[in-house]
Each structure stands twice: as C-alpha cells, then as structure tokens.
Amino acid sequence: MALIVHKYGGTSMGSTERIRSVAQRVAKWARAGHQMVVVPSAMSGETNRLLALAKELMANASTPEALRELDAVAATGEQVSVGLLALALQAQGLQAVSYAGWQVPIHTDTAYTKARISSIDDQRVRADLAAGKVVVITGFQGLDPQGHVTTLGRGGSDTSAVAVAAALKADECLIYTDVDGVYTTDPRIVPEARRLTTISFEEMLEMASLGSKVLQIRSVEFAGKYRVPLRVLSSFTPWDIPIDEEAQSGTLITFEEDEKMEQAVVAGIAFNRDEAKISVIGVPDKPGIAHQILGPVAEANIDIDVIIQNVSHDGRTDFSFTVPRGDYARTMEVLKAKVQPAIGAAELRGDPKICKVSIVGIGMRSHVGVASKMFRTLSEEGINIQMISTSEIKTSVVIDEKYMELAVRALHKAFDLDQPATEEH
Ligand code: ASP
Ligand code: MG
C-alpha cells in the first residue's frame, strides 16, 4: 500500500463525463489498496471566465483590496471541482471528502494572485486517510496568516499537488494532464518531438522556467526541495488500463542519484515568446552603470532576464536586457523618466518582437562544443543571434521572433532529438 497524490488539470476535469472518468481512475487506485489524495484544477476555461467577470467590474487591479476579491472569485473554480469530484467518487462506492485550501489548511503568504505556500497542516487529511477515505483538496488556493483566501498564480494547482505530496511524504505524485508526458520540444512546432521517459529534476526546472508549459515552475522547485517523486502522464488513456502499465507511463522526473536511462547531451529545446528586448545606447562606461540602469527597473518589480553589455568606444557603451513582454511599456517609461536623464544615455531602443530559444541538458556539463554546435546550426539557417546567456546546463539565445519555429526545428534535428534516444554515449 502506498500513499499516492493524483493531480488532474482543467481539461481532465472539463465536463461531468470527464470528472466521472477521473473518479473511476482514482477508484481503481484506491481499490488496489492505495491511500489516495486528489488535487484537481478548476474545470477548463473556468478560471479565465471568473477572472474576466471580475475584471469587468473591477476599477483598479493594483490595490490589495481589489486583489483580495480577485482571489476570492478565482478560487471558486477549484471549490466547485472538488465537490463534484467527491460526489463522483462517492457514486463509485468510495468514501470521499472534499476540502478547500482553508479547511486543510494550506497556509500561504499574503501575495494575492501569486501567493507562496508556507506550510500545510496534514492532521485532518491523515485522519481521513486512516479512516479509509479518499481526500479531495482544491488546487490553486490557500489561506494567508490573516485568514484571507489566496491563489498561487496561474497553473498553481501543480504546486498545490506537489506541496501536498511533500507534506504527506507521499510515495509518488502523479500529474495527470492532456499531454502524455514531457517532450523534447513542443510537438505542435516539431512533429518529430519525442516523449522523454525520464528527465532530471534540474532539466525540468530549466525547461519550465524557459517556457515549457507542462508544469508550473514552482511545482518543480517544490519537488526538488522535498524530493517528491513526480510523474507527468495522460488522463486521456482509458481509465481502466492496468494500473502497473499506467504507473510506468508518461515522464518520470528523476533526481541525480537515480540517473538516467536516457542520457542525451541535450534533453530538450524550450522557447519563449513572452519577452521583449530593450537597449540603452551610448551610456558612459564607468563603475555603477549597470546598477543605475537596472536598479530602477528592479524597483518597479520588473523581472530582468538576459543581460548584455557591449565593449566600449570612446568611453561609451550599449547595454541591453530583456523583460517580460507584458512589462515592456512600463520598463520604457521607467527608463525614460528615471534612467536616461540621470546617466545621460543617448538613446533608448526597444524590440518586443524577439524570442528566446534554449537548449537544455545536464550532459552539457561534461561535453564541450554543445553551445558552438547550437550557434553553427543557427548560422547555417541564416539566423542572427542578438543575445546569449548560459548556465551549466543550458544555453539560451535571443533571436528575431519570426525565426522561432525554424530555429527550434533546426536545433531539434541537429541534436538528434528526432531519433529515439540511445544508451549512454
Ligand atoms: N485553475 C487555475 C488556472 O487556471 C490553476 C490551475 O489550473 O492549475 O490557472
Ligand atoms: Mg496546468
């Protein structure tokens, strides 16, 4: 007997018919003798619908009072799903009980719309499990220290599920979704993309932060911190497939000790169209200048990603960086108002039509020439690289958005990701 957490995404919970199928699947696991905790998302489209209603009526999205109510509204999507799923489980002849985040409780900080889980009280859930019940807990929401309902950011149910699994020391957390695992890249862009049977936690973390949408990045951070065994798999297989087969399907996130059947140098290609590039031209090249430019941007709570500073000519240099595309206009305003006059930069230039393409793989630690192969591949396609950033296990380039698909396809091929992986080489 194991303690298992299942997480079901919005599409998996998309209709009463789908919810019944989820209940049948969970019942199969419970009847096999496992203790089951289930964390569902809102029904697909529901959170968008709720947020749109709120935005129609909301005057100002930046006051804490408004954000509090936005979370109060958004959290109801998951409230409905847990109740429906518990009813469907009861109809399968199981004992089942649903809880909202505040009933568990799942404690968070007060950062409405992007709260972080601080702790989870496991007593109530443990008592229910011991009494033979299936426990259904809302994803996406929690309770702040003052007793207000919070939400964890879009896609936050993944994080709820992993946090619950960590708190309960679950044997495995299975993330059921509408794709059947983690792919070498998005199959909508590269039809030859392959499902990985395993991916290391660090690679998954990079893939999630570089734009792969399979898991919310915080859920991966949580899994790493608490070493939660995590598997991404499809909820669209027939619910009654043999449990052993299901338990082996999808993609397993591994930790380095349990290394690695599938040791390719590059595990996957990620891409992200959500950034914009800004250049500050003709800044004096002297100590403190990076801080003078980026300090006010950071103070405005804007995340800075790739940064590049050119060599100087005649004591002047150019300084470029990327920010989330949604913050592009605001960043330009900050620079115009606070930075340009203060440092006497000649010019500001912005380009929102860029994308970042990254190759990711822990094999890059021990293989040389991986980045240069990336650059060669792009040059053979005539794609100009505007910026580069690297870490131990990834290389990212910023290029013109219009070449994104071409770049991803060419890199996928160049790193042999089109072919089934071979054993360690
Ligand atoms: N329902 C929330 C959202 O749509 C959380 C989730 O689905 O993970 O973002
Ligand atoms: Mg999701």
Side-chain angles (χ1 to χ4, degrees):
M1 184 180 82
L3 200 168
I4 305 284
V5 175
H6 279 190
K7 185 263 168 176
Y8 291 90
T11 329
S12 315
M13 294 289 293
S15 62
T16 48
E17 208 179 311
R18 295 289 315 150
I19 294 175
R20 189 173 294 121
S21 160
V22 167
Q24 286 167 316
R25 192 180 297 273
V26 173
K28 173 180 74 179
W29 282 74
R31 294 207 177 92
H34 299 303
Q35 293 189 313
M36 298 302 299
V37 177
V38 190
V39 180
S41 292
M43 297 170 78
S44 59
E46 186 60 12
T47 309
N48 287 343
R49 189 183 73 85
L50 293 165
L51 290 174
L53 290 174
K55 278 174 189 155
E56 259 184 62
L57 295 169
M58 181 164 60
N60 181 350
S62 59
T63 66
E65 291 75 19
L67 292 174
R68 179 192 185 277
E69 305 312 327
L70 196 60
D71 273 4
V73 172
T76 61
E78 272 69 11
Q79 176 77 68
V80 171
S81 330
V82 288
L84 292 176
L85 181 53
L87 288 170
L89 286 163
Q90 289 167 3
Q92 294 299 312
L94 297 174
Q95 293 189 67
V97 59
S98 77
Y99 293 122
W102 64 268
Q103 291 173 300
V104 175
I106 296 178
H107 297 287
T108 71
D109 62 18
T110 311
Y112 295 121
T113 73
K114 49 179 181 227
R116 281 182 182 271
I117 295 176
S118 47
S119 68
I120 296 180
D121 193 337
D122 64 351
Q123 274 183 19
R124 195 168 187 174
V125 178
R126 281 200 191 279
D128 287 326
L129 291 173
K133 292 180 192 167
V134 175
V135 183
V136 188
I137 302 174
T138 49
F140 186 49
Q141 55 167 272
L143 185 71
D144 85 351
Q146 287 78 44
H148 306 298
V149 171
T150 54
T151 70
L152 309 181
R154 300 308 306 269
S157 297
D158 294 338
T159 303
S160 306
V162 176
V164 164
L168 294 168
K169 304 196 172 53
D171 295 282
E172 193 161 286
C173 179
L174 303 178
I175 309 273
Y176 288 87
T177 178
D178 51 3
V179 293
D180 63 356
V182 180
Y183 275 69
T184 49
T185 195
D186 187 337
R188 282 168 300 190
I189 304 257
V190 184
E192 295 81 14
R194 281 180 310 104
R195 177 173 61 83
L196 298 161
T197 54
T198 65
I199 184 168
S200 79
F201 148 73
E202 289 160 292
E203 289 166 337
M204 192 64 232
L205 196 59
E206 288 282 10
M207 293 287 277
S209 68
L210 293 168
S212 153
K213 299 251 160 32
V214 184
L215 288 173
Q216 199 203 32
I217 177 163
R218 278 196 199 162
S219 72
V220 187
E221 287 167 2
F222 239 101
K225 189 159 169 202
Y226 297 99
R227 303 238 143 190
V228 179
L230 196 61
R231 185 180 288 277
V232 178
L233 68 171
S234 171
S235 69
F236 285 81
T237 54
W239 69 265
D240 56 355
I241 61 166
I243 208 166
D244 295 340
E245 188 185 319
E246 187 169 312
Q248 295 299 316
S249 67
T251 302
L252 178 69
I253 317 295
T254 61
F255 298 95
E256 243 168 320
E257 294 86 277
D258 3 292
E259 291 251 1
K260 234 10 239 310
M261 290 67 102
E262 208 171 8
Q263 189 77 287
V265 177
V266 171
I269 319 269
F271 53 85
N272 177 357
R273 263 181 281 226
D274 300 333
E275 290 185 28
K277 183 174 92 166
I278 292 172
S279 301
V280 190
I281 311 287
V283 302
D285 191 11
K286 58 180 193 211
I289 211 72
H291 175 64
Q292 276 186 13
I293 295 173
L294 297 181
V297 178
E299 269 158 38
N301 248 322
I302 296 166
D303 285 329
I304 296 150
D305 186 23
V306 185
I307 303 173
I308 190 169
Q309 182 181 339
N310 287 351
V311 290
S312 62
H313 291 286
D314 310 322
R316 299 239 157 206
T317 184
D318 303 336
F319 195 93
S320 301
F321 56 97
T322 67
V323 295
R325 208 174 278 189
D327 289 328
Y328 171 64
R330 209 152 63 83
T331 313
M332 289 300 259
E333 280 165 28
V334 169
L335 291 172
K336 252 180 227 136
K338 298 201 176 142
V339 175
Q340 202 175 16
I343 64 174
E347 193 189 336
L348 294 176
R349 260 182 232 161
D351 183 0
K353 291 211 161 79
I354 52 139
C355 73
K356 189 171 72 173
V357 176
S358 312
I359 56 174
V360 175
I362 51 175
M364 288 166 73
R365 277 190 193 134
S366 49
H367 290 71
V368 294
V370 181
S372 70
K373 182 168 177 178
M374 179 188 203
F375 306 149
R376 188 175 71 232
T377 305
L378 296 174
S379 84
E380 280 164 6
E381 299 294 338
I383 300 170
N384 184 38
I385 299 170
Q386 303 179 18
M387 302 166 100
I388 299 170
S389 95
T390 66
S391 79
E392 240 193 331
I393 66 163
K394 69 123 204 273
T395 303
S396 302
V397 295
V398 171
I399 60 174
D400 189 324
E401 182 185 56
K402 67 174 181 266
Y403 297 123
M404 189 191 83
E405 300 195 0
L406 176 63
V408 174
R409 280 198 204 103
L411 292 168
H412 198 267
K413 195 161 194 330
F415 287 101
D416 295 327
L417 295 174
D418 294 357
Q419 262 73 54
T422 50
E423 291 299 300
E424 164 73 297
H425 37 232

